[in-house]
Structures are given as C-alpha cells and as structure tokens.
C-alpha cells in the first residue's frame, strides 16, 4: 500500500509483519572481490554466505505467508489422486476460471510441454518478448521466436505505461508472410521480464485475441507475473481504476486459451502449471505429463508446494500482495533517479533495472556491459544482481555473438523480503559506483557453455579492473563494509 506522509511524500508501506527471518551476511570488500573472481565474474556462481542482499531474482525467493506455511502441513502425498491437487484445481477454477489443470515442476517445464505438443520444425512463434527458457524450448523443437513488441518497448527512458504491448500490425505481417498454419500459437508474457518487467494493457490483449481468433491461432498467456500485470492495469489503464485485482485477472483470463506460469513469482512458491478450458489441449498435454514431470495430480511438484500454491494463488488477488514488489520497485527506481542512476522507466514489476549502457558508456557491447555492471555492483555492495543482456543471449547457428536489445543489471525485489533501509543501502552503493564508474572495465569469456551460458559461464575482468575498484572502495569506506 502507498501512504502519504505529512510532508507530502508517498512511500510504500508493508501490509504484513515479519515473524520469521533469515540471517544475512556482509563480507568485507576484499572477500567480495575474491568470491566474484573465483566465481568467474558471474553472480550465479556466488553462494548465499557470500551475499548480503540477494537480488538475483524474485523466483522462488519470496516470503511466504503464514497461511501458506500452515497449508503445507496438511498436504497429501498420494502418488495419484492426492487431495492437494484438488485444492489447487479449485483455486485455479476460482481465481483463473480454468477447468483443467496440469501441475509441472516449474515454468520452463510448462514451456517444454508447450513446445512438445505445439511447435513443429519450421513453425514461427510470435510473442511480445521472449524469456530465456521460452526461447530455448521453442527453438529446440525447431521453431523460431519472433518478437513483435512496439517501438516504445526498448526505450529505457520512457513514460509509456504499457511497454509490454504487442504490435498488432507486426502480427498481421507475420500471418501474411508465413500463413496462420505456421503459427502454432501467439504468446503474451505478463510484465515482459527481460525488458524490465513491463506490462501490457487489456486493450492490447483484446486486440491480439481478436486477430488471433480470426486466424484460428490460440493465445498462450505466460502468467508468471500475472498479479503484477493486473496491478499495473489497475494503476495505469483507463477504466480499470475501480476494478479489483481479481476482476482484472478474470478479464485477462477470458482472452487466454492456454495459461501457464512459473509459480515461483506471483504465487510465492516453487512450482508451476498449465491450465485451460479446452479439453483437447488438456488431453494432448496430459499424455506427456507423466513422461517428463510426474502423474497428473502432482506433476513433479512436492505436495507441500501444491498446497501452498493453492493459497498463494488466492492471496495474489489481494492488492497488497499484488503490489508488494511493484511498489518497492517504484520507490527503488525513484531513489535511483534522484541520484542520476540510469534505470529503466517506467518502473516495472519484479526488479529495479539499471540501464548498463548508460551506466557504463565506455564499455563496448562485445565486452558484456551488463555482466560487468552486475559484478561491479557485487564488489561495491555485496548485493547480488543478475545480468540481463548479451551474456543471457544465445549465439546464432554459426557461433556469432547475438547482442541483446538491452543491457540491464536486474536488482530483483522479491515480494515482502527486503526493507526500505536495505533499499537505501543499495541506492547509496550504486551512487558510489556511478561516481567511480570509470574504474569498471569489460569482461571476456573464459568458459562458455553451449546453451543458456549465463548460468554456468565463467568470465574474467579485462585488465584486472576488479582490484582497482576494490582499492577505491577501501579508500572511501575504510574497513571495506
Ligand atoms: N516465464 C517467465 C516470464 C519467467 O520470468 C520465468 C522465470 C519463466 C517463464 C520460467 O520459469 O524459472 O519457473 O522455470 N524467470 C526466472 C527469473 C528464472 O529469474 O526471472 P521457471
């Protein structure tokens, strides 16, 4: 919830109490440099004990509610027909209005099944923007991902409220060029992750749905961040100010033929599912579920997580849950802007995104700007962010580098986890880093995996810039904390 203070300033206020905590650890700057060097300048290689604030992701790292934890205690572990499944199915019916449910172990497993059932070699899959795992699965099935975002989507200094919108004209052009038979479905990702958690509007979704239906193309909705997208519609779309998050979700769902999510985000658990009202789609997915995931009534998830997901799904319709991350992200981004730290605007869901090209204008894109910034943020603060730029891209078939549209360092704000003073600390260290940015240099790969290289790749700092940054930090902060 946003409250107005007596000085007129608005701040996000937590509508929950913290009753269980996890101890955090802040290493000295010397130790931080050692950890990132050993980890190949890749923040994925760090251990929790090396990290002060873990802002790598909001995936599976959100604070669960007391009711979610309580529900876990009564889970039913039956291999087939477990009661926990039916509780989740009821929640899916109530919150999303889908009658058929297929749990999977996490979001990418849903993408794998989608690819298996729908994508054939030579197909093209249009979408408002790709996500790393989505693209890999659809390409492994022989398809090509076509991103058809609007011109405003890649503008990191925008005021446009719906940068996640799909460009309908480009959709029409694709049908014209390839014919609708080559398009197994159109995918809409709620709050497009890789371009800064940017939502689409209901107006846009309606148009996408109309054109897709006219061409017999099913609409697949990636709802991993559905409550955030609904929250932004309430904040930003005319005519929706007085609708509840639940009413907005119902309307969003009325346009979706197939829904899937990573439950690790909006629903604050670890798992995922596919849901639909189309019996044929359900049957097509169902045959493959036990092959790749598990029996229909658990789909690779722990029954405890299924119980917690049933509760989390209902809880995400509470505006104070739906807005819990987005409001902190907005505060975080606004504080950064006050310090001239270049962030993606408007602030989106899931994270405060730093525009690495503007933060480190002296580093060429071939030297992995966002990766360098992410490593530098860790050295300067102990805070773990995630590279969302060229390191997160795949090379093309000939082995050439494919440069990312945007070079972002993503500082995720998991739901209900961090406090305002922790955000203030991050902003302060980012501000210090900005003043010392000339000390940060580029990176080069020393170990490069062939697929999703951002997870396990190892890089090195060109000209050993890490040590120079460390020395400057110790000069200004003494002990190194
Ligand atoms: N779709 C979206 C929009 C996502 O953000 C993610 C994951 C997935 C699908 C895949 O789901 O991880 O449960 O298999 N995003 C995480 C992130 C990994 O850090 O943003 P998953």
């Amino acid at each position: 919830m946003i409250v107005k203070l007596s000085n007129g300033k608005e701040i996000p206020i937590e509508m929950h109490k913290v009753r269980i905590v996890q101890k955090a650890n802040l290493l000295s700057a010397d130790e931080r440099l050692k950890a990132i060097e050993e980890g190949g300048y890749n923040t994925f290689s760090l251990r929790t004990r090396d990290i002060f604030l873990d802002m790598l992701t909001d995936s599976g790292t959100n604070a669960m509610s007391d009711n979610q934890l309580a529900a876990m205690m009564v889970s039913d572990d039956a291999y087939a027909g477990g009661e926990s499944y039916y509780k989740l199915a009821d929640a899916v019916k109530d919150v999303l209005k889908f009658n058929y449910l297929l749990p999977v172990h996490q979001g990418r497993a849903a993408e794998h099944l989608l690819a298996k059932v729908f994508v054939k070699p030579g197909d093209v899959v249009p979408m408002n923007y790709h996500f790393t795992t989505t693209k890999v699965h659809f390409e492994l099935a022989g398809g090509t991902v076509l991103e058809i975002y609007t011109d405003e989507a890649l503008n990191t200094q925008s005021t446009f409220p719906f940068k996640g919108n799909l460009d309908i004209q480009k959709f029409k052009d694709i049908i014209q060029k390839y014919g609708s038979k080559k398009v197994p479905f159109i995918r809409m990702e709620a709050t497009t992750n890789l371009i800064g958690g940017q939502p689409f509007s209901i107006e846009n979704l309606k148009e996408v749905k109309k054109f897709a239906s006219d061409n017999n193309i099913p609409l697949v909705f990636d709802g991993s961040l559905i409550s955030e997208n609904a929250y932004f519609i309430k904040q930003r779309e005319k005519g929706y100010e007085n609708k509840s998050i639940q009413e907005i979700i119902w309307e969003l769902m009325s346009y979706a033929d197939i829904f899937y999510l990573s439950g690790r985000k909006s629903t604050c658990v670890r798992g995922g599912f596919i849901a639909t009202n189309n019996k044929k789609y359900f049957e097509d997915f169902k045959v493959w579920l036990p092959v790749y995931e598990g029996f229909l009534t658990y789909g690779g998830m722990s029954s405890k997580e299924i119980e917690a997901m049933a509760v989390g799904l209902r809880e995400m319709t509470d505006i104070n849950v739906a807005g819990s991350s987005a409001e902190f992200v907005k505060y975080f981004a606004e504080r950064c802007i006050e310090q001239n730290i270049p962030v993606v605007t408007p602030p989106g869901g899931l994270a405060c995104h730093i525009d690495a090209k503007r933060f480190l204008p002296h580093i060429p894109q071939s030297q992995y700007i966002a990766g360098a910034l992410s490593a530098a943020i860790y050295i300067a603060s102990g805070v773990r962010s995630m590279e969302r730029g060229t390191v997160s891209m795949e090379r093309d078939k000939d082995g050439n580098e494919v440069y990312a549209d945007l070079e972002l360092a993503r500082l995720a704000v998991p739901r209900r986890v961090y406090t305002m003073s922790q955000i203030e600390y991050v902003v302060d260290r980012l501000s210090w880093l900005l003043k010392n940015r000339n000390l940060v240099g580029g990176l080069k790969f020393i170990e490069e995996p062939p697929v999703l290289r951002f997870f396990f790749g190892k890089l090195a700092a060109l000209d050993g810039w890490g040590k120079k940054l460390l020395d400057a930090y110790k000069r200004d902060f003494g002990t190194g904390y």
Side-chain angles (χ1 to χ4, degrees), residues 180-198:
S180 56
K181 294 235 157 10
K182 287 261 171 246
V183 183
F185 55 81
I186 173 121
R187 172 178 174 273
M188 289 294 280
E189 180 179 311
T191 80
T192 46
N193 187 329
L194 295 186
I195 53 170
Q198 302 294 324

Side-chain angles (χ1 to χ4, degrees), residues 108-358:
R108 70 200 67 186
E111 292 167 339
H112 176 216
L113 291 177
L114 265 170
K116 179 94 197 150
V117 170
F118 279 92
V119 184
K120 294 184 301 303
D123 280 353
V124 293
V125 189
M127 55 188 69
N128 53 346
Y129 209 79
H130 81 278
F131 184 69
T132 51
T133 54
T134 324
K135 192 160 187 265
V136 167
H137 277 298
F138 297 171
E139 287 178 354
L140 283 173
T144 303
V145 167
L146 299 175
E147 291 165 306
I148 46 176
Y149 44 80
T150 60
D151 293 343
E152 200 57 27
L154 303 183
N155 178 0
T156 58
Q157 300 176 73
S158 171
T159 54
F160 187 63
F162 293 108
K163 292 201 293 182
N165 280 357
L166 183 130
D167 188 323
I168 304 287
Q169 187 52 49
K170 290 182 192 157
F171 188 14
K172 292 181 178 169
D173 295 345
I174 287 173
I175 303 298
Q176 186 94 46
K177 184 168 170 196
Y178 299 93
S180 56
K181 294 235 157 10
K182 287 261 171 246
V183 183
F185 55 81
I186 173 121
R187 172 178 174 273
M188 289 294 280
E189 180 179 311
T191 80
T192 46
N193 187 329
L194 295 186
I195 53 170
Q198 302 294 324
F200 53 73
S201 67
I202 288 205
E203 190 191 6
N204 184 250
L205 183 67
K206 258 191 211 168
E207 279 186 71
V208 175
K209 171 66 180 171
K210 164 123 197 19
F211 187 68
S213 300
D214 290 348
N215 289 279
N216 285 321
I217 296 171
L219 191 147
V220 171
F221 192 118
D222 179 340
S224 306
L225 287 140
I226 186 176
S227 61
E228 279 73 16
N229 206 114
Y231 176 83
F232 288 126
I233 288 168
K234 184 171 169 64
Q235 303 294 310
R236 300 177 185 178
E237 187 159 358
K238 215 166 156 282
Y240 289 89
E241 311 79 343
N242 299 319
K243 299 248 190 232
S244 67
I245 298 293
Q246 178 64 88
E247 286 167 325
I248 294 170
I249 289 177
W250 283 332
E251 180 166 358
L252 287 169
M253 291 303 92
S254 71
Y255 307 117
D257 297 296
I258 297 170
F259 175 90
Y260 78 90
L261 55 62
S262 165
R264 301 170 64 88
K265 291 171 178 266
S266 285
T267 67
C268 299
V269 291
R270 287 138 296 259
F273 64 78
I274 302 176
T276 180
N277 282 326
N278 183 309
K279 189 156 192 312
K280 173 159 183 349
Y281 297 153
F282 171 68
E283 296 295 340
D284 289 347
F285 287 127
K286 197 175 83 175
V287 288
W288 292 108
L289 200 64
V291 178
Y292 293 109
E293 297 297 308
F295 189 72
L296 174 68
T297 55
Y298 74 94
M301 280 177 74
S302 126
S303 61
K304 291 193 168 42
E305 299 281 348
I306 295 178
E307 286 279 348
M309 185 184 266
V311 176
L313 205 57
R314 293 182 193 279
E315 287 181 348
M316 76 178 188
T317 65
D318 175 342
I319 188 158
N320 292 319
V321 177
S324 59
S325 173
E327 288 167 2
F328 260 67
V329 169
K330 181 166 181 284
Y331 177 84
F332 191 168
E334 284 169 356
R335 291 285 293 121
C336 283
I337 292 165
E338 282 169 29
Q339 302 291 320
N340 296 318
I341 299 160
V343 293
V344 173
T345 58
L350 91 133
C352 180
H353 292 81
I354 314 291
D355 183 351
K357 278 190 191 163
R358 283 192 283 143

Side-chain angles (χ1 to χ4, degrees), residues 440-470:
V440 181
L443 300 176
K444 66 165 189 233
F445 264 105
I446 46 174
E447 274 175 42
E448 186 179 342
V451 66
L452 295 177
R453 60 186 181 172
F454 63 91
F455 283 128
F456 301 120
K458 281 194 184 292
L459 300 103
L462 295 169
D463 303 323
W465 58 260
K467 177 78 173 67
K468 286 177 218 152
L469 189 65
L470 171 72

Side-chain angles (χ1 to χ4, degrees), residues 380-437:
S381 64
V383 174
R384 170 156 80 164
S385 60
M386 189 192 289
E387 192 273 1
R388 294 278 75 159
T390 297
V391 178
S392 299
M393 296 294 286
E394 306 293 310
R395 286 185 184 267
D396 71 13
K397 288 188 183 72
D398 303 319
N400 299 313
E401 196 72 82
V402 176
Y403 292 120
D405 293 324
L406 299 179
E407 294 287 341
L408 307 177
R410 179 179 88 173
L411 289 147
V413 183
R415 294 154 193 80
R416 303 178 290 204
V417 172
Y418 295 126
T419 62
M420 209 176 282
S421 54
Q422 290 171 326
I423 302 283
E424 290 294 339
Y425 168 82
V426 190
V427 174
D428 178 76
R429 292 304 192 263
L430 287 170
S431 165
W432 177 87
L433 191 60
L434 186 67
K435 292 187 189 95
N436 292 276
R437 62 177 163 182

